[in-house]
Structures are given as C-alpha cells and as structure tokens.
Amino acid sequence: MVDLQAQRQRLGARLDAAVARVMDHGGFIMGPEVAEVEKKLAAHCGAKHVISCSSGTTALIMALMAHDVGRGDAVFVPSFTFTATAEAIVLAGATPIFVDVLPDTFNMDPASLAKAINVAQQTGLTPACVLAVDLFGQPADYDALDAIAKEHGLWILDDAAQSYGAMYKGRALGTCAAITATSFYPSKPLGCYGDGGAVFTDSEAIARKLIQVRVHGQGKDRNENVRVGLTARFDSMQAAILLEKLSIFDDENVARDRIAARYTAGLKDVVTTPGVAPGCTSVWAQYTIRSARRDRIAAHLQAQKISTAVFYPKPIHVQPPYRGYPVVTGGLPVTEKLAQDVLSLPMHPYLAPETQDIVIAAVRAALA
Ligand SMILES: *Cc1c(COP(=O)(O)O)cnc(C)c1O
C-alpha cells in the first residue's frame, strides 16, 4: 500500500547522518531536533504553537486533557474513522456520541452533528467538543462545523492524523480548529520511523497546558506538578528523521495529487472515485474507491498480488468496547453503507505510472 523504501533511497545518506548526529550528541530526550521540528512545523502550517508528542493517539488525549474534557462531557465524533479517535475520548473520561459522515468526502456530516447535540442534551451530558476527522487526507467542512459549534459553545478538535499537509479554503490544517492533532506513524503521509505525533494551537494558554500534560503535569520545574499528565514526549531520533522528511513533504504531496488524478481518470467510469470538496486539497493518505462489488475487486487484486485494504470494515460504534455509547437519532446509515463498499488502493508518492496501470487494469478486469 505504501512504499517507504523508495523514500528512504531518495533521502539516502541524509537520514543516516541525521540519526548519527543524535547518537553523537546524546540528547535523546527533548534534544535540539525536537524544538527544531516544532518550529519548522509551525512555519509549515502557520500555527502559533506546535507541541510534538509520542503518537497521534496521545496528541488527541493531550488536547482533551488540556481542555479539561472529562466525566459528564459529550464529544461528537464520527464512527467511520480509526479506533484511536474515539478511544481518546473514552480515555479522557468523556462520552463519545457517534455522528454520521457524508458519502462523498467520508467526513463528518454537519446536519448529523446538529442532531447529535440534541441527543447529548436529552441524555444529561454536557456538549463539550466536536472531534472532527479529516479522513483519508481531506479536511472536514470546518466552516459548516464551526457554525454549529459556535451556536452551542463547543470547541473543535481536528484529528488530522491522516491529513496534515492538506488545505481547507486556503488555510492549512493545523490552523482550522481550536486544537489540531496529527500522527507521524510511518505510513501516514508525514511519517517518521516509529511512533510520534504533534498538537497544534494558536492559543498560548492551551499550549502551556499541553506542555505540562506532555511531561507528568510538570510546572516550572520537575519538582512542581500542576496537573495530571503523561509521559508523552517525541524523541530526538524521530524528530531528526522527521526534519529530513519534512524537507521533501510538499514535493511528495504534488506527486500524490498527480497519482490520485491518474487513478480517477482510469477508474471513474467503473467505480465511484473519491471526490475532493471545492476549496480543499487532499494529501491522499488513502485513495478510496466505492463499489457494490468491492469484495470481488479485492479478491481479484489479491490474486494478482496487488495490496488493497478496507478502511473501515467495522465502524467503531459496532465494536464491543464502544457499543454502549450513544449514536445520533436515526443511526449511521452512511457509515454502515461505506463499511460495505469502500476499498483503498496502493497510494504513495513513488508509485510508478506502469505499476498504477497494472492496478487500474486489474480493477477494470475484476468488473468486466
Ligand atoms: C493513525 C490515526 C490515529 C492515531 O495515530 P497513532 O500515531 O497511530 O497513535 C488517530 N486518528 C486517525 C484518524 C488515524 O488515522
């Protein structure tokens, strides 16, 4: 699905030198690379504050903790996402309320969010936060979500784990919500060589709390604890690797866009190809098609040793640990339909046209 070796070859000796520098200076925890990558990420997206951390999941938990979201609070979240999005809410002690998504962008449906807020009020929960996900690389509709959030005094947390680097109406993700969380898991569009993540905010007060949460709720020094926190630092070695990868990231996203357009041209008459909303760009964490004959396509490609994946065959609200939480009135029909018919194809910036042609031909042959 993702070829990390092609990128490794492109960066070559620069990566080896970056790792060697960290081993030589020995500042493995919060070394100079950590502050440097935070500064570069802030400049890259335009956020005032970037707090790196140990994973995308941790980034979400830190954001909820820094905003004091907990027991009795409702957090509105799509069910059509990676488990970590909802998991962070439960770990923070709050209650997820599952919201449906739009069939074309796979992102949170603002009309469903408005209905879900009523559900929270009826169940005696305090509506606290909208946790929007930018699924498969594309931003959610922040203007529409913001209008509803504002009306109810809610703040928006953006799970940009799959989509850092994408733009919403001229604004970079990292600046489109009160707090944005992302992941540097190796297969994400901007990945390191292990676990990592970051939190973005323009609020100085929230940034200060995030820094406290990252290291055991530490205050001005290690002898002062001002809140309950975590061990959630990004390590220097991963920061050094990420700095190198960040230097080619924008160029890679141009390639991703070209590759997505090529898939769309080759497949749009036989399957539903993914749409990008007006004013948005995608970093194509996944290239996800829809077809009633999804399983047939997957089997045909597997027989030709072409990888495919279904994200996500089982929505979160039907998984045992999450079954007991509220769902928006009327249920999640779009989410349940998508679980039946989505299929993600190989997608990375180094996918050669000849390889892509084989994938396109295989999908067409499966449906012929
Ligand atoms: C990957 C992912 C996460 C979690 O990131 P980790 O770094 O693996 O903890 C959260 N949300 C979404 C949508 C993801 O795709």
Side-chain angles (χ1 to χ4, degrees), residues 123-291:
T123 45
L125 295 162
T126 308
C129 169
V130 178
L131 208 179
V133 181
D134 311 312
L135 205 71
F136 303 153
Q138 175 172 202
D141 187 354
Y142 288 100
D143 284 350
L145 297 176
D146 223 28
I148 298 164
K150 275 214 179 77
E151 192 184 321
H152 295 274
L154 310 178
W155 63 283
I156 300 183
L157 170 56
D158 170 9
D159 180 348
Q162 300 183 4
S163 53
Y164 180 76
M167 305 287 288
Y168 177 78
K169 300 186 181 173
R171 293 179 284 161
L173 291 184
T175 67
C176 297
I179 312 184
T180 302
T182 199
S183 165
F184 305 128
Y185 185 82
S187 62
K188 308 282 177 175
L190 180 61
C192 57
Y193 282 163
D195 281 308
V199 192
F200 303 75
T201 184
D202 280 350
S203 158
E204 169 137 32
I206 292 290
R208 199 173 324 118
K209 288 181 186 172
L210 287 165
I211 289 167
Q212 291 166 349
V213 169
R214 176 167 65 180
V215 188
H216 307 297
Q218 194 172 295
K220 65 178 190 305
D221 60 42
R222 73 178 65 189
N223 298 316
E224 186 187 81
N225 301 97
V226 295
R227 54 199 299 127
V228 173
L230 307 161
T231 307
R233 292 166 294 237
F234 191 39
D235 68 69
S236 309
M237 205 93 80
Q238 296 303 339
I241 289 161
L242 198 68
L243 278 166
E244 299 306 322
K245 294 207 189 193
L246 188 57
S247 72
I248 58 166
F249 182 54
D250 290 340
D251 180 62
E252 289 184 332
N253 286 337
V254 172
R256 286 177 183 278
D257 221 33
R258 186 183 63 234
I259 289 160
R262 202 159 191 283
Y263 266 142
T264 299
L267 293 171
K268 67 176 188 301
D269 58 322
V270 290
V271 297
T272 305
T273 50
V276 178
C280 291
T281 66
S282 177
V283 292
W284 302 104
Q286 304 296 338
Y287 185 89
T288 303
I289 60 171
R290 297 185 61 189
S291 169

